[in-house]
Amino acid sequence: MLFLNTLGRLWVHFLQELGGMALLLAQAGLWLPRRPYRWRHFFRQLEFIGVKSFFIVVLTGLFTGMVLALQAYYGFRKFGGESLLGGAVALSMTRELGPVLTSLMVAARAGSAMAAELGAMKVTEQVDALLAMAVQPVHYLALPRLLAAVIMTPLLTVIAVYIGIVGGYFVGVILLDVNPGTFMQKMLEMVNSSDLYNGLFKSVIFGLLLALISCYEGLQAKGGAEGVGLVTTRAVVYSAISILIADYILTALLF
């Protein structure tokens, strides 16, 4: 009975969280075409989410491609398939590792900061002050972050995919002496434009999820500094779980 009670409470909490996020997304959609357009906040979020995440995304993409090439090479060598290395690296980075790892890094760096910033504003009653001045918090705070994440996550994914392929090329061709022409040929044969488009579509969904979860959790903060820390942790954990679940669902639908 205790187990069923616990399970029921978890299910109710999950539905409440899901419903709250759906309402936040609907409100953001309703406020999207309405003036005033807060361009300054929007461009600041573009810089914060995109430019300031550039280094960690490049580092992640580079070493992911290098490790992937190293592992794939020794696997392919067992049956003489070293020529497939370029295609395997490019396909893996384009379809899966690029969008997923980029989104996880953005969620850890930018999503946590969103939740902490909005949480601090909530517990210090700055959100209530906005309402008192007839400024809608969803329009002023959440919408620029949602749009910036949806735009910048795919752009960062493109960078991560490119850098990952460069890292795989370096390990495969320079360090492991794979034929460079074969590496490039197999990459072009195995990867087509639909793989890139599907990977970018995934990253758009992941960017929306991480920003939506981070904004929602931040706006639910209460209880002072402890509450801010709690919602920040929840935002990162929920974002990571949502990205991984959405990745499986999208992969099953797209591929």
Side-chain angles (χ1 to χ4, degrees):
M1 185 62 68
L2 180 60
F3 171 75
L4 292 177
N5 288 336
T6 303
L7 186 63
R9 284 196 298 269
L10 290 175
W11 178 247
V12 170
H13 177 71
F14 170 75
L15 291 179
Q16 288 175 339
E17 294 279 296
L18 190 63
M21 293 175 194
L23 287 174
L24 177 61
L25 182 61
Q27 289 176 343
L30 291 174
W31 278 105
L32 180 61
R34 299 187 185 181
R35 295 173 183 262
Y37 302 130
R38 306 186 186 279
W39 296 109
R40 184 169 62 88
H41 298 286
F42 173 63
F43 286 116
R44 187 172 65 183
Q45 293 304 317
L46 287 178
E47 179 192 11
F48 177 73
I49 295 173
V51 177
K52 293 187 177 179
S53 299
F54 179 81
F55 177 75
I56 186 66
V57 168
V58 167
L59 200 63
T60 302
L62 177 64
F63 283 98
T64 298
M66 293 172 69
V67 170
L68 181 61
L70 192 63
Q71 295 283 8
Y73 175 81
Y74 290 116
F76 289 144
R77 192 173 66 172
K78 294 179 181 179
F79 55 89
E82 295 95 329
S83 62
L84 299 173
L85 183 62
V89 171
L91 199 61
S92 300
M93 289 298 301
T94 304
R95 283 188 174 187
E96 291 296 326
L97 296 177
V100 172
L101 292 180
T102 298
S103 302
L104 290 175
M105 290 299 104
V106 173
R109 198 208 71 82
S112 60
M114 288 184 208
E117 183 179 3
L118 295 182
M121 295 181 68
K122 176 70 172 178
V123 299
T124 56
E125 299 182 352
Q126 295 181 53
V127 174
D128 295 332
L130 289 175
L131 288 171
M133 293 186 294
V135 177
Q136 174 55 243
V138 173
H139 190 204
Y140 186 79
L141 299 174
L143 186 57
R145 289 169 170 83
L146 291 171
L147 292 176
V150 168
I151 292 172
M152 295 309 299
T153 306
L155 295 179
L156 291 171
T157 297
V158 172
I159 295 171
V161 170
Y162 174 76
I163 295 297
I165 294 173
V166 170
Y169 183 91
F170 174 78
V171 170
V173 174
I174 306 300
L175 300 184
L176 300 176
D177 202 28
V178 174
N179 184 278
T182 303
F183 186 98
M184 298 300 296
Q185 179 186 0
K186 290 299 181 182
M187 183 179 72
L188 294 175
E189 287 179 359
M190 295 175 64
V191 181
N192 53 50
S193 58
S194 64
D195 295 317
L196 179 60
Y197 296 150
N198 290 337
L200 291 177
F201 177 72
K202 281 185 176 183
S203 63
V204 170
I205 301 300
F206 297 161
L208 178 62
L209 284 174
L210 71 90
L212 180 64
I213 293 171
S214 299
C215 291
Y216 173 78
E217 293 297 335
L219 292 173
Q220 299 303 307
K222 56 185 177 181
E226 183 179 356
V228 174
L230 181 61
V231 298
T232 303
T233 302
R234 284 209 307 252
V236 175
V237 173
Y238 291 173
S239 296
I241 294 172
S242 299
I243 288 168
L244 295 176
I245 293 174
D247 179 52
Y248 174 80
I249 296 172
L250 291 173
T251 299
L253 294 175
L254 295 174
F255 301 106

